[in-house]
Amino acid sequence: MTEKSKEKLNLEKVATEAAEEKEVDAERTKSALSSLNSGQNGNAPTIVKLNAQDVKYIMDELDTTKDKTESALIESKGDVVKAIRLLLH
């Protein structure tokens, strides 16, 4: 076997391994996304969009830190009244 033939075989092997890795990564990504979408993961994150005005209002009224206020709003899923109750108790 000539040197060029060996190099060609090595390149083909590397290309095949790279293609297989991409397939595995694609399958893992697809699996992770489907588990998030279907709720199979019991700890799937819930996205809560916080309103800056709500954060400022609660901070001013209850004299709390931004971190505590945001945590309460996240726990109450953005409900200001529930967040205030959490901070008061």
Side-chain angles (χ1 to χ4, degrees):
M1 192 173 251
T2 67
E3 194 65 35
K4 277 192 169 190
S5 297
K6 288 181 184 178
E7 287 178 10
K8 184 177 178 182
L9 285 174
N10 284 338
L11 286 175
E12 287 176 2
K13 183 179 176 184
V14 169
T16 301
E17 290 173 355
E20 289 172 356
E21 287 178 16
K22 284 183 182 179
E23 288 176 14
V24 170
D25 288 343
E27 288 176 25
R28 286 182 183 164
T29 302
K30 185 177 179 182
S31 174
L33 287 173
S34 69
S35 70
L36 283 176
N37 290 333
S38 66
Q40 290 176 359
N41 183 357
N43 298 330
T46 302
I47 297 173
V48 178
K49 184 171 181 171
L50 300 180
N51 184 333
Q53 292 172 336
D54 292 344
V55 173
K56 183 174 179 354
Y57 173 77
I58 294 172
M59 287 175 59
D60 292 345
E61 292 298 315
L62 300 181
D63 194 32
T64 63
T65 65
K66 184 175 183 180
D67 288 339
K68 287 182 182 179
T69 302
E70 288 176 345
S71 293
L73 280 166
I74 290 169
E75 189 175 334
S76 66
K77 296 183 175 129
D79 187 319
V80 175
V81 174
K82 288 181 182 178
I84 290 172
R85 286 183 183 151
L86 284 171
L87 290 166
L88 291 175
H89 291 103

Short mmCIF file of all heavy atoms in Angstrom, two decimals, residues 9 14-15 20 29-31 34 39 46-48 51 53 56 60-61 67 73 76-77 85 89:
data_model
loop_
_atom_site.label_atom_id
_atom_site.label_comp_id
_atom_site.label_asym_id
_atom_site.label_seq_id
_atom_site.Cartn_x
_atom_site.Cartn_y
_atom_site.Cartn_z
N LEU A 9 -7.00 6.67 3.18
CA LEU A 9 -7.79 5.85 4.10
C LEU A 9 -7.95 6.54 5.45
O LEU A 9 -9.02 6.51 6.05
CB LEU A 9 -7.16 4.48 4.28
CG LEU A 9 -7.32 3.50 3.12
CD1 LEU A 9 -6.52 2.23 3.39
CD2 LEU A 9 -8.78 3.16 2.90
N VAL A 14 -11.33 9.55 9.33
CA VAL A 14 -11.60 10.75 10.11
C VAL A 14 -12.92 11.37 9.70
O VAL A 14 -13.73 11.78 10.54
CB VAL A 14 -10.44 11.77 9.98
CG1 VAL A 14 -10.82 13.11 10.56
CG2 VAL A 14 -9.19 11.23 10.64
N ALA A 15 -13.18 11.44 8.41
CA ALA A 15 -14.43 12.02 7.91
C ALA A 15 -15.62 11.19 8.36
O ALA A 15 -16.66 11.74 8.76
CB ALA A 15 -14.40 12.12 6.39
N GLU A 20 -20.28 10.55 12.10
CA GLU A 20 -20.98 9.79 13.13
C GLU A 20 -21.18 10.63 14.39
O GLU A 20 -22.23 10.56 15.03
CB GLU A 20 -20.19 8.52 13.45
CG GLU A 20 -20.24 7.48 12.35
CD GLU A 20 -19.31 6.31 12.59
OE1 GLU A 20 -18.55 6.32 13.60
OE2 GLU A 20 -19.33 5.38 11.78
N THR A 29 -29.42 16.20 20.89
CA THR A 29 -30.10 17.50 20.90
C THR A 29 -31.59 17.31 20.70
O THR A 29 -32.41 17.90 21.41
CB THR A 29 -29.52 18.41 19.80
OG1 THR A 29 -28.12 18.56 20.03
CG2 THR A 29 -30.19 19.77 19.81
N LYS A 30 -31.95 16.48 19.74
CA LYS A 30 -33.36 16.23 19.45
C LYS A 30 -34.05 15.60 20.65
O LYS A 30 -35.15 15.99 21.03
CB LYS A 30 -33.49 15.32 18.22
CG LYS A 30 -34.89 15.11 17.78
CD LYS A 30 -34.95 14.26 16.52
CE LYS A 30 -36.36 14.01 16.08
NZ LYS A 30 -36.43 13.16 14.89
N SER A 31 -33.38 14.67 21.30
CA SER A 31 -33.94 14.01 22.47
C SER A 31 -34.13 15.00 23.62
O SER A 31 -35.17 15.00 24.28
CB SER A 31 -33.02 12.88 22.90
OG SER A 31 -33.46 12.32 24.11
N SER A 34 -37.06 17.36 22.80
CA SER A 34 -38.36 16.72 22.89
C SER A 34 -38.74 16.47 24.34
O SER A 34 -39.91 16.58 24.71
CB SER A 34 -38.40 15.43 22.08
OG SER A 34 -37.59 14.44 22.67
N GLY A 39 -42.39 17.76 28.57
CA GLY A 39 -42.46 17.80 30.03
C GLY A 39 -41.98 16.52 30.69
O GLY A 39 -42.30 16.27 31.84
N THR A 46 -39.13 26.80 34.10
CA THR A 46 -40.25 27.64 33.72
C THR A 46 -39.70 29.04 33.49
O THR A 46 -39.01 29.58 34.36
CB THR A 46 -41.30 27.69 34.84
OG1 THR A 46 -41.73 26.36 35.11
CG2 THR A 46 -42.47 28.56 34.46
N ILE A 47 -39.98 29.58 32.35
CA ILE A 47 -39.48 30.91 32.03
C ILE A 47 -40.50 31.94 32.51
O ILE A 47 -41.67 31.88 32.15
CB ILE A 47 -39.22 31.05 30.52
CG1 ILE A 47 -38.15 30.06 30.10
CG2 ILE A 47 -38.83 32.48 30.17
CD1 ILE A 47 -37.92 29.98 28.62
N VAL A 48 -40.02 32.86 33.33
CA VAL A 48 -40.87 33.92 33.86
C VAL A 48 -40.25 35.24 33.44
O VAL A 48 -39.10 35.53 33.76
CB VAL A 48 -40.97 33.87 35.40
CG1 VAL A 48 -41.81 35.01 35.92
CG2 VAL A 48 -41.52 32.53 35.85
N ASN A 51 -41.21 42.02 35.00
CA ASN A 51 -41.44 43.40 34.62
C ASN A 51 -40.59 44.28 35.53
O ASN A 51 -40.69 44.22 36.75
CB ASN A 51 -42.93 43.72 34.77
CG ASN A 51 -43.29 45.10 34.31
OD1 ASN A 51 -42.46 46.01 34.31
ND2 ASN A 51 -44.53 45.27 33.92
N GLN A 53 -40.79 47.34 36.22
CA GLN A 53 -41.61 48.21 37.07
C GLN A 53 -42.13 47.46 38.30
O GLN A 53 -42.20 48.03 39.38
CB GLN A 53 -42.78 48.78 36.27
CG GLN A 53 -42.34 49.74 35.18
CD GLN A 53 -43.49 50.15 34.28
OE1 GLN A 53 -44.48 49.45 34.16
NE2 GLN A 53 -43.34 51.31 33.63
N LYS A 56 -39.16 47.15 40.73
CA LYS A 56 -38.90 48.44 41.39
C LYS A 56 -39.99 48.76 42.41
O LYS A 56 -39.69 49.20 43.53
CB LYS A 56 -38.80 49.56 40.36
CG LYS A 56 -38.45 50.92 40.97
CD LYS A 56 -38.22 51.96 39.92
CE LYS A 56 -37.88 53.33 40.44
NZ LYS A 56 -37.93 53.60 41.83
N ASP A 60 -39.25 49.20 46.38
CA ASP A 60 -39.54 50.47 47.04
C ASP A 60 -40.53 50.31 48.19
O ASP A 60 -40.36 50.88 49.27
CB ASP A 60 -40.08 51.49 46.04
CG ASP A 60 -39.04 51.94 45.03
OD1 ASP A 60 -37.84 51.70 45.26
OD2 ASP A 60 -39.43 52.52 44.00
N GLU A 61 -41.58 49.54 47.97
CA GLU A 61 -42.63 49.39 48.98
C GLU A 61 -42.19 48.55 50.18
O GLU A 61 -42.56 48.84 51.31
CB GLU A 61 -43.89 48.79 48.36
CG GLU A 61 -44.61 49.70 47.39
CD GLU A 61 -45.10 50.99 48.03
OE1 GLU A 61 -45.69 50.93 49.13
OE2 GLU A 61 -44.90 52.06 47.42
N ASP A 67 -32.37 40.99 44.45
CA ASP A 67 -32.32 39.53 44.37
C ASP A 67 -33.53 38.88 45.04
O ASP A 67 -34.14 37.96 44.49
CB ASP A 67 -31.03 39.00 45.01
CG ASP A 67 -29.80 39.30 44.18
OD1 ASP A 67 -29.93 39.54 42.96
OD2 ASP A 67 -28.70 39.28 44.75
N LEU A 73 -40.70 37.01 42.77
CA LEU A 73 -41.50 37.12 41.53
C LEU A 73 -41.38 35.85 40.69
O LEU A 73 -42.36 35.40 40.09
CB LEU A 73 -41.08 38.34 40.72
CG LEU A 73 -41.65 39.66 41.19
CD1 LEU A 73 -40.92 40.84 40.55
CD2 LEU A 73 -43.15 39.74 40.89
N SER A 76 -43.42 33.15 42.30
CA SER A 76 -44.86 33.40 42.14
C SER A 76 -45.25 33.52 40.68
O SER A 76 -46.37 33.92 40.37
CB SER A 76 -45.26 34.66 42.90
OG SER A 76 -44.65 35.79 42.31
N LYS A 77 -44.32 33.19 39.78
CA LYS A 77 -44.55 33.22 38.33
C LYS A 77 -45.02 34.59 37.84
O LYS A 77 -45.89 34.70 36.98
CB LYS A 77 -45.54 32.13 37.92
CG LYS A 77 -45.00 30.75 38.19
CD LYS A 77 -45.93 29.67 37.73
CE LYS A 77 -45.23 28.35 37.94
NZ LYS A 77 -45.96 27.37 38.64
N ARG A 85 -46.70 38.71 49.16
CA ARG A 85 -47.06 37.82 50.28
C ARG A 85 -45.88 36.93 50.67
O ARG A 85 -45.64 36.69 51.85
CB ARG A 85 -48.27 36.97 49.90
CG ARG A 85 -49.56 37.74 49.89
CD ARG A 85 -50.73 36.87 49.59
NE ARG A 85 -51.94 37.66 49.53
CZ ARG A 85 -53.00 37.37 48.79
NH1 ARG A 85 -53.01 36.28 48.06
NH2 ARG A 85 -54.04 38.17 48.79
N HIS A 89 -43.95 37.02 54.51
CA HIS A 89 -44.04 35.87 55.44
C HIS A 89 -42.74 35.22 55.66
O HIS A 89 -41.81 35.11 55.16
CB HIS A 89 -45.06 34.85 54.95
CG HIS A 89 -46.46 35.37 55.04
ND1 HIS A 89 -47.13 35.80 53.96
CD2 HIS A 89 -47.27 35.58 56.10
CE1 HIS A 89 -48.33 36.23 54.33
NE2 HIS A 89 -48.43 36.10 55.63
#
